[in-house]
Amino acid sequence: AAELEYESVLCVKPDVNVYRIPPRTSNRGYRASDWKLDHPDWTGRLRVTSKGKTAYIKLEDKVSGELFAQAPIDQYPGIAVETVADSSRYFVIRIQDGTGRSAFIGIGFTDRGDAFDFNVSLQDHFKWVKQETEISKESQEADTRPKLDLGFKEGQTIKLNIGNMTSKKGGAAKPRVSGSGGLSLLPPPPGGKIAVPPIPPPSSTAIANHVTPPPVQKSSNASSADILLDLDAPAAASKAPATTDLWGDFSTASSAVPNQAPQQSNWVQF
């Protein structure tokens, strides 16, 4: 994992002054006024990089880029980087070489904005380190916790309530009521009544077209009444015997004078 880590640049400042500082004589903080600020011991370029969770303050030559000193930082704020008590533009850093030797030197920026950027770059890096540590710790705790088994056991079922219908998961579906003609009809809603459609009143046209036949009056002479009332069957009347024809005398009298011209009168001819 260490071989896969790459180095990223967090901040670059072209002008930085380096001072030799006197050893600390008490527990009070460092003071930049004790240094020879007008005569820095070295001037060059500062570059802040990070590799993994460790940040590095590198002091390099402005022209060639040769490394002058390097300060690895594992924690900020911490002993590797400290601010002075009387200024925000000066810091004390702990440099180390490859043999394990270390020394404390003072660095300072001419511009106050450069000092602010240097401070913020270190704060952002270690804020990210803190978040990564918390995330990894939570993932490890989640792996050690017993996992919940939310699956169904053998033979276990569940009931689902959909409106007023209750069905059982895995069971047979409830058959529907089939009406006439093969159509499937749903049952009526609970508590409801099926409204019977009202019968429309008969229209006036249908009443006018409907003619009730007059009642037939029965008499003692049934044969003569049937002949007079049965107007739609002339053939049946012709087949009746001559003795039963009440109007036969009128027919005979008219046939006895065939050549007589019809007389015009106001009487209706039978």
Side-chain angles (χ1 to χ4, degrees):
E3 294 178 357
L4 297 177
E5 292 178 351
Y6 59 91
E7 185 178 22
S8 60
V9 178
L10 304 179
C11 180
V12 176
K13 295 302 175 183
D15 294 320
V16 63
N17 299 323
V18 177
Y19 304 92
R20 290 182 180 179
I21 59 175
R24 180 184 294 181
T25 58
S26 63
N27 292 332
R28 67 184 183 89
Y30 292 99
R31 297 179 63 87
S33 59
D34 298 338
W35 308 344
K36 298 179 181 180
L37 300 178
D38 297 337
H39 303 282
D41 296 295
W42 186 84
T43 302
R45 179 181 65 189
L46 180 140
R47 192 158 60 99
V48 181
T49 63
S50 66
K51 189 174 183 181
K53 296 182 179 181
T54 305
Y56 298 89
I57 299 175
K58 296 184 178 182
L59 303 176
E60 300 171 344
D61 187 83
K62 290 183 180 181
V63 180
S64 63
E66 183 181 359
L67 182 63
F68 171 74
Q70 176 176 276
I73 305 171
D74 299 329
Q75 183 180 353
Y76 184 78
I79 193 174
V81 179
E82 297 182 46
T83 59
V84 298
D86 56 347
S87 177
S88 61
R89 296 187 291 115
Y90 297 92
F91 303 87
V92 176
I93 63 175
R94 183 184 62 183
I95 60 175
Q96 293 180 352
D97 57 4
T99 61
R101 294 182 303 178
S102 62
F104 291 91
I105 61 174
I107 61 173
F109 300 95
T110 306
D111 189 0
R112 196 177 300 275
D114 293 342
F116 177 80
D117 295 341
F118 168 75
N119 191 18
V120 169
S121 63
L122 293 176
Q123 289 179 355
D124 290 345
H125 171 73
F126 285 99
K127 185 183 298 183
W128 170 82
V129 170
K130 183 179 180 181
Q131 293 177 354
E132 288 292 321
T133 304
E134 292 177 354
I135 292 173
S136 60
K137 185 183 296 184
E138 290 178 358
S139 61
Q140 291 177 359
E141 292 178 355
D143 294 338
T144 56
R145 294 174 186 171
K147 296 182 179 180
L148 297 176
D149 186 9
L150 301 178
F152 287 100
K153 306 297 187 297
E154 184 177 358
Q156 187 178 5
T157 58
I158 185 173
K159 293 182 179 180
L160 301 177
N161 293 330
I162 304 176
N164 294 325
M165 300 175 61
T166 305
S167 61
K168 189 174 183 181
K169 187 176 182 181
K174 187 176 181 180
R176 293 184 177 180
V177 180
S178 299
S180 60
L183 299 177
S184 298
L185 301 178
L186 294 177
K193 295 183 180 180
I194 300 177
V196 179
I199 300 176
S203 59
S204 59
T205 306
I207 296 176
N209 294 333
H210 180 72
V211 179
T212 303
V216 178
Q217 297 179 0
K218 294 183 180 182
S219 62
S220 59
N221 194 353
S223 59
S224 61
D226 293 338
I227 293 172
L228 292 175
L229 295 177
D230 193 4
L231 301 179
D232 294 335
S238 62
K239 292 179 181 181
T243 57
T244 59
D245 191 0
L246 299 179
W247 303 93
D249 295 339
F250 295 97
S251 301
T252 306
S254 60
S255 60
V257 191
N259 296 326
Q260 186 178 358
Q263 298 178 2
Q264 297 181 358
S265 63
N266 295 328
W267 296 94
V268 178
Q269 183 181 359
F270 290 92

